[in-house]
Amino acid sequence: MHTVAVLALDKVIPFDLSTPIEVFSRTRLPDGRPGYQVRVCAERREIDAGAFALSAPWGMEGLQDADTIIVPGVADPTASLSSAVRDALRSAAADGTRIASICSGTFPLAATGLLDGLRATTHWAAAGLLASIHPDIDVDPNVLYVDNGQFLTSAGAAAGLDLCLYMIRRDYGSAVAADAARLSVMPLEREGGQAQFIVYDHTPTPQGSELEELLTWLRDNLTRDLTLTDIAARAGTSTRTLIRRFRDQTGTTPLQWLHRARIRQAQHLLETTDHSVERIGNRVGFSSSTTFRDRFKLITGVSPQTYRRTFRAEPLRVMEISE
């Protein structure tokens, strides 16, 4: 039987911890046998899990003969990793054990050096921090999970469930994975990646900076068909100088900043209005609905229609119960 060891580090996030425990424990093969044996392992007997303390039945020895090790997220991703945990994970990796992380669990896994030179992901809100702490890792904030073969990483919260179902499908095939997905009331594959969940706020610019007035003007003129020359003229500078200032102060180009601002406004309209996709595209500055759809999918990873189905706030319906 395939053994999954879930490593509970100090300050483990309970949701991330429980996801692999529940999904793998409930997986059944076609003949009814369990597909996995699940162990919860920890460096110490009692682990701080925030709202409660966790008593782990297995110590670090539980990792030694496991087929898969899962590293759930932790509340403080910058916390140092003990040498005992680092050595145990590196030793397991040397033996060929599959190791996966959920959400901010990518940080302790990255601290072992096992992800150096590889593509990885984590919760989109922590992706920048991961990239800055571990520059040797190719951090992709837009996907739900990344499979490097032996090492897998997933984005935040529910993406851990996506990753678990993916590993079940890899181990036992689509039929077993589909059954596990039904038990979890979860689609076997979700459309799009993590990009659709990212809040594309405008890159903050310090008050008093030379771009502050220009960015305010751009926000107020999203519907205009603006070119780089138009923006440079408004700023009273050359296009070359404008591009340099934008990169220095916002980390992007003027037109990229404008496109993201338009898409963020479109997301808001898709969530809160019944306007057609064509009308919304026009209202946020796209003269062509095809261009709007293409740009929206490029930035968010899904179509405007899919985004609306996912995030549209519908009024609550109260069920009437007859006596």
Side-chain angles (χ1 to χ4, degrees):
M1 185 187 301
H2 191 116
T3 299
V4 175
V6 183
L7 177 59
L9 298 174
D10 206 34
K11 303 292 186 181
V12 66
I13 297 173
F15 187 96
D16 296 347
L17 176 72
S18 63
T19 295
I21 295 173
E22 285 297 304
V23 175
F24 289 115
S25 294
R26 295 177 181 273
T27 299
R28 291 293 180 268
L29 303 183
D31 61 6
R33 290 181 297 117
Y36 299 90
Q37 178 191 55
V38 179
R39 303 171 180 170
V40 178
C41 308
E43 186 178 8
R44 299 189 308 277
R45 175 62 64 181
E46 186 171 285
I47 293 295
D48 181 1
F52 57 89
L54 168 71
S55 179
W58 290 80
M60 299 301 289
E61 76 282 355
L63 305 182
Q64 293 174 4
D65 61 344
D67 299 290
T68 296
I69 296 173
I70 308 289
V71 184
V74 289
D76 180 7
T78 63
S80 59
L81 192 67
S82 73
S83 58
V85 173
R86 181 183 295 107
D87 292 346
L89 290 174
R90 292 188 64 85
S91 176
D95 290 338
T97 304
R98 180 173 66 183
I99 304 177
S101 64
I102 295 176
C103 194
S104 58
T106 303
F107 284 80
L109 180 56
T112 66
L114 294 171
L115 297 179
D116 287 356
L118 299 178
R119 181 166 160 257
T121 193
T122 187
H123 192 291
W124 61 265
L129 178 62
L130 180 66
S132 65
I133 296 176
H134 300 284
D136 292 332
I137 298 175
D138 178 14
V139 180
D140 187 345
N142 297 319
V143 295
L144 294 174
Y145 54 81
V146 173
D147 177 9
N148 288 294
Q150 185 180 7
F151 306 114
L152 303 92
T153 55
S154 72
L161 183 53
D162 291 287
L163 178 61
C164 290
L165 293 172
Y166 170 78
M167 288 191 286
I168 294 170
R169 185 172 58 183
R170 235 177 68 169
D171 295 338
Y172 293 114
S174 296
V176 173
D179 183 59
R182 283 191 289 270
L183 287 172
S184 301
V185 196
M186 178 80 179
L188 185 53
E189 290 186 59
R190 280 196 284 169
E191 184 174 354
Q194 190 180 190
Q196 62 187 301
F197 300 97
I198 298 175
V199 178
Y200 289 101
D201 286 333
H202 306 299
T203 303
T205 303
Q207 289 188 351
S209 74
E210 55 189 331
L211 286 182
E212 182 182 1
E213 182 180 344
L214 179 62
L215 295 182
T216 300
W217 179 79
L218 285 173
R219 293 188 190 103
D220 293 338
N221 290 272
L222 293 179
T223 60
R224 292 183 55 183
D225 185 18
L226 296 171
T227 65
L228 185 61
T229 301
D230 295 330
I231 300 172
R234 174 69 187 188
T237 187
S238 67
T239 55
R240 179 176 297 182
T241 299
L242 178 70
I243 292 171
R244 177 177 55 79
R245 289 177 181 172
F246 253 81
R247 286 205 177 276
D248 289 344
Q249 297 183 42
T250 72
T252 187
T253 68
L255 292 181
Q256 287 173 340
W257 190 97
L258 183 62
H259 287 320
R260 287 193 178 275
R262 286 171 169 166
I263 295 305
R264 181 68 194 104
Q265 179 63 16
Q267 288 175 302
H268 173 71
L269 294 173
L270 287 166
E271 294 168 15
T272 59
T273 74
D274 292 320
H275 299 332
S276 68
V277 170
E278 291 73 18
R279 183 179 177 187
I280 289 175
N282 184 261
R283 283 191 58 176
V284 298
F286 291 93
S287 56
S288 163
S289 61
T290 300
T291 302
F292 168 58
R293 293 172 195 272
D294 290 345
R295 178 65 61 175
F296 192 95
K297 187 163 187 177
L298 178 65
I299 291 178
T300 68
V302 295
S303 68
Q305 294 94 331
T306 298
Y307 183 89
R308 169 171 271 169
R309 287 196 301 269
T310 304
F311 294 101
R312 177 63 194 273
E314 298 289 349
L316 291 175
R317 295 179 180 178
V318 180
M319 294 181 62
E320 294 183 0
I321 303 176
S322 58
E323 297 182 358

